[in-house]
Amino acid sequence: MTLRKIVQPLPAARILGIESSCDETAASVIENGRSMLSSVIATQIEIHKKYGGVFPEVASRQHIRTIYAVIEQALQQAHLGLSDIDAIAVTRGPGLAGSLVVGMNAAKGLALGHNIPLIGINHLEGHIYSSWVYSADTIQPPEPPEFPLLALLVSGGHTELNLMEDHLRYKRLGATLDDAAGEAFDKVARMLNLSYPGGPSIQAAAEDGDPTAFNFPRSRMSGTWDFSFSGLKTAVLRVVRKLEAEHRPIPVANLAASFQAAVVEVLYSKTMKAAEEFGVKDIVVAGGVSANRSLRETFLQKSDIPVHIPSLSLCTDNGAMIGSAGYYHYALGHRDPLNLDVLPTWPLS
Ligand code: KG4
Ligand code: ZN
């Protein structure tokens, strides 16, 4: 796509956003890029809990069962029909192929049947755009993030820092070289026998713990904007194994709190350093891990640069973020053909 400034004034449009890249089936109607008229999320967490993680085939089949009901409910909540929708934005990738295909085909069926334009959206871009979204009943809509901005994306599959000079323009400064932050939360939770998904479990366990109990390594990756969490994960594992070998109790709360503190410190310090170096006006923190209370508090309380973090329900996967990103693509004139394929691996920049 040629990068151009978004046309001004922005067009009035309602976008139906559909998301099915992993284990949430979600749909939402977004008006003019930011106002969320509805958002419906059918989570599969309870189904996957017994496997300790997402079981891909089970996930795609569950999406099949719920997707049309979720879309119908999103339209009903918005008091709209498909004839009121200007475009359908759907997650094209990255994600689980079998899960992506379900959302993509549902979107195509509606696009074809109702003659509505189709737009494929990058899931990571969606996460970043969740910071533009506010609930339609908000009396005083918040100001949107201002460019140039720095976006820290921290999810289950990705951890990266992107510089954005304008809408839909991403320059990746750095990314994790091994585990994503959310993946590290999930793996450490498993080591501590905490339930899936690991992020919320670690956060809950950490509430009763001392974050200074263990001095876990903070991988600085000096001279780069990259991250690494595998050393930290291994450090936790080493402590757990040693205690188990000595038949001593595992101090789950202290381990969870110390691990969480290390992750938060690395994410915060690296992001702030980049924000200062690139002279950004705003910082956006997005993706599932941005739901973490300690991470949110650290950014919101310590940063001198304004920080935008989505409301809790928009941190993890949802349709509103896809609808919002879809709107800005729509404004640029982006339309996709009905033979659009999914992209299970699809870098943002
Ligand atoms: O963005 P997301 O819903 O899905 C992906 O695109 O990957 O992120 C899911 C990830 C999981 O690894 C989960 O453990 C993590 O976000 N997560 C959290 C919290 N809530 C979800 N991590 C830390 N603290 C949380 N409160
Ligand atoms: Zn996600």
Side-chain angles (χ1 to χ4, degrees):
M1 180 180 66
T2 338
L3 298 173
R4 293 174 276 143
K5 285 255 172 206
I6 297 275
V7 282
Q8 295 287 355
L10 288 165
R14 292 185 187 123
I15 311 292
L16 171 65
I18 300 175
E19 155 64 35
S20 73
S21 67
C22 190
D23 60 344
E24 334 276 358
T25 322
S28 162
V29 180
I30 293 287
E31 191 166 54
N32 304 335
R34 300 192 61 209
S35 174
M36 183 171 71
L37 304 184
S38 66
S39 178
V40 178
I41 304 170
T43 181
Q44 304 178 8
I45 283 178
E46 287 307 317
I47 297 171
H48 298 289
K49 240 179 194 163
K50 57 178 170 288
Y51 306 111
V54 179
F55 195 127
E57 190 195 316
V58 173
S60 39
R61 294 175 66 188
Q62 187 60 22
H63 285 306
I64 291 174
R65 292 190 194 102
T66 50
I67 191 124
Y68 277 117
V70 165
I71 293 170
E72 207 176 325
Q73 222 177 310
L75 288 166
Q76 268 171 15
Q77 268 185 20
H79 304 290
L80 296 171
L82 280 165
S83 57
D84 304 303
I85 298 298
D86 296 285
I88 300 176
V90 61
T91 305
R92 186 183 181 195
L96 300 170
S99 288
L100 289 165
V101 163
V102 179
M104 178 60 80
N105 281 348
K108 284 180 181 176
L110 296 176
L112 179 67
H114 297 263
N115 202 21
I116 305 170
L118 176 80
I119 305 173
I121 297 296
N122 186 304
H123 180 82
L124 312 181
E125 178 165 60
H127 272 303
I128 292 173
Y129 272 85
S130 54
S131 278
W132 269 257
V133 176
Y134 60 83
S135 175
D137 57 14
T138 305
I139 293 165
Q140 183 129 33
E143 288 297 317
E146 253 193 279
F147 302 107
L149 63 82
L150 186 67
L152 170 67
L153 178 70
V154 271
S155 69
H158 296 83
T159 293
E160 54 184 69
L161 269 175
N162 279 282
L163 186 63
M164 287 181 74
E165 300 278 358
D166 199 352
H167 278 293
L168 311 181
R169 297 179 60 170
Y170 311 93
K171 183 173 181 233
R172 190 160 91 166
L173 302 178
T176 183
L177 300 182
D178 38 60
D179 290 334
E183 192 180 355
F185 269 95
D186 294 335
K187 287 178 176 170
V188 168
R190 230 172 284 151
M191 291 173 205
L192 301 178
N193 272 325
L194 298 170
S195 66
Y196 175 85
S201 307
I202 295 259
Q203 175 178 307
E207 298 283 315
D208 304 317
D210 172 7
T212 63
F214 295 90
N215 187 18
F216 286 131
R218 272 82 167 141
S219 177
R220 307 265 171 217
M221 308 297 290
S222 299
T224 73
W225 300 114
D226 291 330
F227 299 93
S228 166
F229 295 105
S230 72
L232 169 61
K233 178 191 69 185
T234 310
V236 180
L237 184 62
R238 226 176 275 132
V239 173
V240 172
R241 288 232 172 107
K242 185 164 181 289
L243 292 169
E244 277 172 351
E246 294 165 358
H247 303 289
R248 287 162 60 198
I250 310 291
V252 173
N254 282 350
L255 284 168
S258 303
F259 162 78
Q260 180 176 270
V263 175
V264 170
E265 193 191 314
V266 166
L267 292 174
Y268 178 74
S269 60
K270 196 124 210 177
T271 305
M272 294 317 295
K273 214 167 155 197
E276 278 153 28
E277 179 143 338
F278 291 93
V280 297
K281 289 194 178 136
D282 272 345
I283 293 171
V284 164
V285 185
V289 181
S290 67
N292 185 270
R293 189 180 306 142
S294 170
L295 185 75
R296 298 170 79 88
E297 283 174 5
T298 302
F299 270 96
L300 295 171
Q301 289 168 9
K302 287 172 73 177
S303 169
D304 294 328
I305 301 169
V307 177
H308 297 255
I309 309 184
S311 61
L312 280 181
S313 61
L314 294 178
C315 288
T316 43
D317 296 347
N318 62 84
M321 66 187 205
I322 303 301
S324 177
Y327 170 81
Y328 292 96
H329 279 279
Y330 177 83
L332 258 183
H334 175 172
R335 309 287 184 267
D336 279 316
L338 286 177
N339 64 354
L340 188 72
D341 195 5
V342 296
L343 296 173
T345 308
W346 185 14
L348 185 53
S349 60

